[in-house]
Amino acid sequence: MALQPCKILSLISPNQFLIQTQQQKTIIVGNGIPNFLTRSKTNINQKAIDVYFQQLRFVNKEALYITKANQLQINGAELQQDIPDETEIHLKLIGVQNENPNQTQQVQDFIKQHRNKSLDAILVSFEGNILNFLYNKETLISLIPSAIYIDEFAIQDSGYSKIMQKEWLNKEFTITFKGTQIMTVIHERNSINFPILKADLYLSSQQNNELSNEFYISLISNGYAFITDWGKLNLSQNSFQLLFQSQEEAKKNNLGLWKNGELDRRMLNSVSSQTIGQIVEIVEANQYIVKTDKEILTIKLDRIFIEGLEAKEFARKLLIGKQVHILQVGDNIPLQTIQLCDNNLDIEDELIANGWATPKENHPQLSKFKFQQFQQMNLLAKQKKLGQYSPELTWRIEDQTDQKQGKSVNEIIWSSIQRDKQSSKQSGMNTGITIKDDNQLEVLIDKILPNGNFVVTILKYHSMVNFTISGIAMLSEFATSFPNVTKYEEKKQQFIYNILIQRNAWIHFESFNILENMFYGKIYEKKNNKDSDFTLQLLKEGLTFIKNNTDFYSKYEDAQKEAEKLKKGFWNESYAQFIIDFSQNKQTLKKQISNQGNIQKNENQQIQKVTVTAVNDCHEFYLRKENNPEFEELEIQIEKAALIPLKKPVKKGTLCLARFSEDNRIYRAQVLQAFKNDKFLIKFIDYGNNDEVSYQDMGVLPAQFTNVPQQAKMCSLAYLRVPPSTHEYAEEASDLFRELLLDQQFDSKVAYTEKSSNRQFVTLQPQDQPDELQFTINKIVLEKGLGRIDDRVLYNPLKEFKNYEIEAKGNGIGIWGFDDCLEDEKQFEDEYDFYD
């Protein structure tokens, strides 16, 4: 073994040491634990913590380095230890907020308890300009120094990591907390705030921190940090002079962040380097999304306090859609502000001068001179009673989007909308003036949420509410089966964002769901102009499709057909029609024949040869066309396919492949319901029958298996009313239907289609019989007393056979054998109610 003397400089993580050999080489020995004690790793093996503190005593010790084995020894003993799996402990994390809102309160409580107080903790890791300290073996404290700023340009240099590992890692620091700095990140247009602790710190072994700060000086003298405004104002005169001299020396020698010289760095503030962009969204009153020629930027005015939706509305009216200059301010990286291009109006000044904001005292990027300017503006706003100082705000908005708190208020809003609508109708009746029944209210589109819903402010009621466009589908519903459909949902989000965000619009409110705390309706870009219906634009772009029957249906159909013809949006995918058919067929039949407007008569009743593949009950059976070579070839390919496991959890509605328990073959299917123990109820979409299968008998549906539309068409017998599921005879009647229909071949004609569910109402005729209505299954059902003539169909050719119904009724056959249904017509209502 090759042994060479060395000195242990630091412990990077348990079983990972930084050493220095006699040749002055620094080497990392051992693999250790990656990302040991960082903000992303607060769950840690208890043994790892114990080993860390045991190995700390070897720092600054002389050792022997075994080169071939990459090991360390002291007095012949191996320093690295086994770390078996043990129960993990969860360290408290102070200084950074994750997405759990409770963490924010935890930081605030910590600050209240420790502000301007000191504690001792060990520096265990560093992430960019954030330092992580371990306190009492149970708390990880993340902070940034208040007096210096560790520059992001400089820390990209490997020298920063080397100096931190070599000189400062594992050292105990005395920390005095001074407050927080809010860092904001925009993720999917949602802002996540990270309150980072700011603190003054020095080595615990350093007795008199007034003379110098070795840690600060080491970073500043190498050009890895610079003095902040807070440091200039709050450090002792002696400490500041020492740091300032070190900083000037680093500038002179072009070290670290000063490599290009101070002048080049200050050019960020020059007019020639200003970036110009357009304000596309007001996230908060002091936070904006700005689109430039090259990128999308988030600008946060961190030097001012601002609160209230009223202030956000002031900023929206001032800025939305405007061209602005983006300016760098302060000494630190990169804090920005904006000025309007047309008049160089500074937004920070404008918000403070109009009483909507106040300056942050002792902000490290706000000079004392600028703070005094802001204070003077704020004083004048108070005297003039502007903005938040006004005794009566002209714009007072209440946020009613919270599901728990907003229900009762939103019920009142919904009642007011209906009352105003009724009042308009009554006024029209009294005056003889026709009032348009559009019930449109002006709104502000505040937010577009990732799930496709909106947050809108109803201007009349000064209330922010949740809203969804009714009557159209969310393509993301099909993402489990067709993952790449999400790109069209993203395009839809961007399309809506570009046109509607932070803009005024008009909404026709159709309904309110109290359980969801959600309003439903249509968005119009122009008042009383149905051609400005935003649903039409989404359909024309192929970013959605019609989900159910709605008002204005014909224009929606035309818009959808236009997108299909031009292959726009998701219509460019081979599975588009497959999704449409699937979506329409999966809807339940709420009414056999609800109203004539929902029925589309089939004028050209062509005969198709079909097989009945499944009979679920009297109302619902499935037909599949005979002699379809394309589908037959597809089934051969599917049967040979391997079942690629579905991603868990498997959601209701997922399209998949599944193995049928009776013949052990694979078919296309859809998940209807999930049970315990990885069991699922599925429907075979090319046959219409259901089965219960295990997770291992299901698999992903590849896109190449969607070129052929689903084959089983949901049908009912035309011109008839059959017993509902609640009727005493329903189960027996369903069994008789199966005997008549299942696995039989027929000549089928589609008499009419229910548009809301895409259910086809058909006549079925045995293939060896003449093409006449008297030979149809429809007439046989009437004759056997399994159903009755539907008098709600305007033209019902079965009325020619009224005598069969009368005869079955007289003989008490089938449904007519139940006395309680002879006189009471309501006995034929199903659970969805046939009658309007």
Side-chain angles (χ1 to χ4, degrees), residues 794-830:
L794 293 181
Y795 170 68
N796 192 329
L798 277 186
K799 287 182 179 179
E800 299 176 13
F801 307 106
K802 184 68 175 178
N803 57 309
Y804 289 108
E805 181 180 297
I806 295 172
E807 185 176 346
K809 184 175 181 180
N811 294 329
I813 298 174
I815 56 175
W816 307 110
F818 296 84
D819 294 338
D820 59 346
C821 80
L822 297 180
E823 302 300 329
D824 187 1
E825 183 74 12
K826 285 287 184 177
Q827 287 293 326
F828 275 89
E829 294 182 33
D830 65 11

Side-chain angles (χ1 to χ4, degrees), residues 51-107:
V51 168
Y52 176 77
F53 280 97
Q54 291 171 21
Q55 293 177 341
L56 266 183
R57 69 179 189 270
F58 298 124
V59 174
N60 293 323
K61 300 286 186 181
E62 300 293 333
L64 291 177
Y65 172 47
I66 307 173
T67 55
K68 289 186 178 181
N70 194 28
Q71 294 177 345
L72 288 175
Q73 289 184 357
I74 293 181
N75 297 326
E78 170 60 44
L79 299 190
Q80 298 191 34
Q81 300 184 34
D82 290 334
I83 303 179
D85 290 337
E86 289 189 359
T87 303
E88 289 188 336
I89 61 171
H90 182 74
L91 299 177
K92 297 177 184 177
L93 177 62
I94 300 295
V96 179
Q97 175 195 347
N98 58 22
E99 295 185 36
N100 180 0
N102 294 331
Q103 288 289 340
T104 304
Q105 189 60 46
Q106 188 178 13
V107 174

Side-chain angles (χ1 to χ4, degrees), residues 496-508:
I496 297 173
Y497 181 85
N498 292 339
I499 296 176
L500 293 182
I501 190 66
Q502 309 272 278
R503 300 301 199 271
N504 290 70
W506 282 260
I507 288 182
H508 172 66

Side-chain angles (χ1 to χ4, degrees), residues 84 99 102 108 161-162 229 291 427 457 664 767 803 830:
E99 295 185 36
N102 294 331
Q108 299 303 326
S161 295
K162 290 179 180 178
D229 283 350
K291 183 179 181 181
S427 176
T457 297
N664 209 35
Q767 293 183 3
N803 57 309
D830 65 11

